Amino acid sequence: VRKISDFNLQIKSGTWHRNLARNFSEVTVGIIGLGSTGQEVARILRGLGFSLVAWTMHPERHKDFIRDIGIRMLNSVDEICALSNIITLHVRLSHKTENLIGSKQLKALRVNRGYLVNCSRSRIINYKELKKALELEWISGAALDVWPEEPITSKWLKELATHPRVVATPHM
């Protein structure tokens, strides 16, 4: 939201621009998964003034939290991707969540030139499709701390991890 990675690259290249970043209240964050981590992320983001939408496989388990924090619940991951500026993933890996984010969802995220954050499990996202989405500029960037290979050894995954619009860390 604050374009930190863009400013980082500008300063390192010797330029200095103070472009105005968006206010948090103008940004919709889509939270996929409302377990304990997803709920904590929602609390922090709500406190900072972000608009929140969410999808969870078990909305009935979280109905009190959803009501108390005032999250708008959506019916599908595709809908979350189409309406969000940022997507953050907090789901467990299962046969239902593997490859939850692929080409279709990344293309939907393209509407808002959104960002994708994955601190969940690597197999939730099709990383090859994510690389393609970054190269074709469907999305503005990604923050990843889980990887299909740890440590990263394959050429294509190194290219993704070193992409200028990817913030890459080990799982922390």
Side-chain angles (χ1 to χ4, degrees), residues 68-89:
D68 293 346
I69 202 159
I71 296 176
R72 181 175 161 212
M73 295 302 295
L74 299 178
N75 295 318
S76 70
V77 171
D78 293 350
E79 191 176 9
I80 287 265
C81 291
L83 296 176
S84 299
N85 303 105
I86 301 170
I87 301 292
T88 181
L89 300 167

Side-chain angles (χ1 to χ4, degrees), residues 44-94:
I44 292 167
L45 294 175
R46 175 62 79 214
L48 291 170
F50 286 94
S51 174
L52 302 179
V53 294
W55 176 84
T56 180
M57 292 178 75
H58 308 288
E60 66 286 347
R61 288 185 194 166
H62 311 295
K63 64 182 177 190
D64 293 338
F65 174 79
I66 292 165
R67 182 196 64 238
D68 293 346
I69 202 159
I71 296 176
R72 181 175 161 212
M73 295 302 295
L74 299 178
N75 295 318
S76 70
V77 171
D78 293 350
E79 191 176 9
I80 287 265
C81 291
L83 296 176
S84 299
N85 303 105
I86 301 170
I87 301 292
T88 181
L89 300 167
H90 304 284
V91 294
R92 294 175 191 226
L93 180 62
S94 73

Side-chain angles (χ1 to χ4, degrees), residues 135-150:
E135 289 167 353
L136 296 175
E137 297 185 4
W138 294 347
I139 66 172
S140 295
L144 308 167
D145 85 340
V146 289
W147 303 92
E149 305 169 358
E150 295 183 7

